[in-house]
Amino acid sequence: MSDLPNPDFSGLDGGEEQAAQDAVQEVVNWYNAQIIRERRAPVPDEERLEELTAGRQAALADQAQLATADSQEAERIAAVYAARLKDLKGS
């Protein structure tokens, strides 16, 4: 068994980054579900669809920013999106 390479995971602390990624993805998922629900409504509310789509696009843009975010920025994004998801689910 000593012939197997020993992978180096020292650069993978990533806890904040993963938490932020997960939080943003949960918000994106919420928007996706709401968009689908609104589109399936007998009479879709176009204004609400626009708002939902804009919210999803903003979340996706923030998600893309995580690729270059440092751990402090990732922690801030995680907190913002955790609070946003709580608000969205409460509404």
Side-chain angles (χ1 to χ4, degrees):
M1 289 295 217
S2 61
D3 294 339
L4 296 175
N6 188 9
D8 179 18
F9 296 111
S10 60
L12 297 177
D13 45 323
E16 296 86 7
E17 291 85 356
Q18 187 60 51
Q21 189 75 21
D22 292 346
V24 175
Q25 188 60 51
E26 284 292 321
V27 170
V28 170
N29 291 343
W30 183 90
Y31 278 114
N32 286 338
Q34 295 303 308
I35 289 168
I36 289 168
R37 181 177 292 146
E38 193 61 46
R39 285 182 179 158
R40 290 180 178 166
V43 180
D45 182 338
E46 293 301 322
E47 186 175 322
R48 177 158 164 74
L49 273 172
E50 287 178 22
E51 290 172 5
L52 291 168
T53 301
R56 180 180 62 184
Q57 286 306 112
L60 289 171
D62 285 345
Q63 192 173 47
Q65 292 291 327
L66 284 172
T68 58
D70 62 17
S71 62
Q72 287 180 329
E73 180 66 5
E75 190 174 329
R76 184 192 69 76
I77 290 171
V80 166
Y81 274 86
R84 183 175 297 169
L85 184 62
K86 184 178 179 181
D87 288 344
L88 291 171
K89 286 186 173 184
S91 61

